[in-house]
Amino acid sequence: MPDAEESPESPEPQPGLRFAYVAGVTPGKWIRRWEQRMPDVPLEAFMSDDDAQLSVLRDGSADLSFVRLPVDREGLNVIPLYEEQPVVVAPKGHEISVFEEVALADLAEENFLDVDEMGGPDMALQVVASGAGLVILPMSVARHLNNKETVMRPLTGAPGSQIALASLVGTEGPVVEEFIGIVRGRTAQSSRQPSSQQEKPKKAPKPDRRGGGPKKPAVAQRYAPNPDKGRGKGSRKKGKR
């Protein structure tokens, strides 16, 4: 009995990529660019708490993590991305609401709360809403939590925070490098993008539209060519006829 023909092997699926991000980071634009450039590679994103922004890397939950600096950089690749605008958040009706922005020096008499001691930004805003004090947060975090019982204003004279992209040392690879390039704004044609270095399939040659049939035989010339054709008037040599 003849052996059954072996079915062609299907290509192995590309490994997916998982990344985490802290509150205030909006990864939508990077996800859209990834889906355009790497449609065959699954991408999973999820939000992590500030206290878990590194543990998601160490326990294998994520390949990359958008973190808020400072962090312990031991064993990590950390790429700083952008600065965040600090804001002061006060209870609704507070006098800061009449200003477009506030200087930290003008709030010396105010009671500032420690966000970490309050149990994180969400709980801190609830305490602020009760009138117990003010807090300083990144603008993106205050907008994300959107506590309607508070008011916020840009704060000058205060140090800002910074967002960075972190990964474990030794986990580098084409998929990770592709995502890092997208976050850093590299175009799809950049020589530093792994996807641009892949060999592209050659295009099939265009069909010959001139036709492949036999050529028509040349028609025999019925008359001898006129030797005077094309000459000017009086160019024929005179002679006896």
Side-chain angles (χ1 to χ4, degrees), residues 59-81:
D59 65 15
S61 301
D63 305 297
L64 293 155
S65 180
F66 288 92
V67 300
R68 184 166 284 112
L69 300 179
V71 296
D72 180 6
R73 301 193 180 204
E74 185 178 357
L76 296 177
N77 296 315
V78 178
I79 303 171
L81 297 176

Side-chain angles (χ1 to χ4, degrees), residues 135-152:
V135 295
I136 298 174
L137 289 174
M139 179 182 287
S140 58
V141 175
R143 283 179 171 173
H144 172 74
L145 296 175
N146 190 28
N147 189 312
K148 297 185 182 301
E149 298 304 316
T150 62
V151 59
M152 68 174 177

Side-chain angles (χ1 to χ4, degrees), residues 117-135:
E117 290 181 359
M118 295 295 103
D122 194 8
M123 183 60 67
L125 290 183
Q126 295 181 39
V127 176
V128 168
S130 71
L134 281 60
V135 295

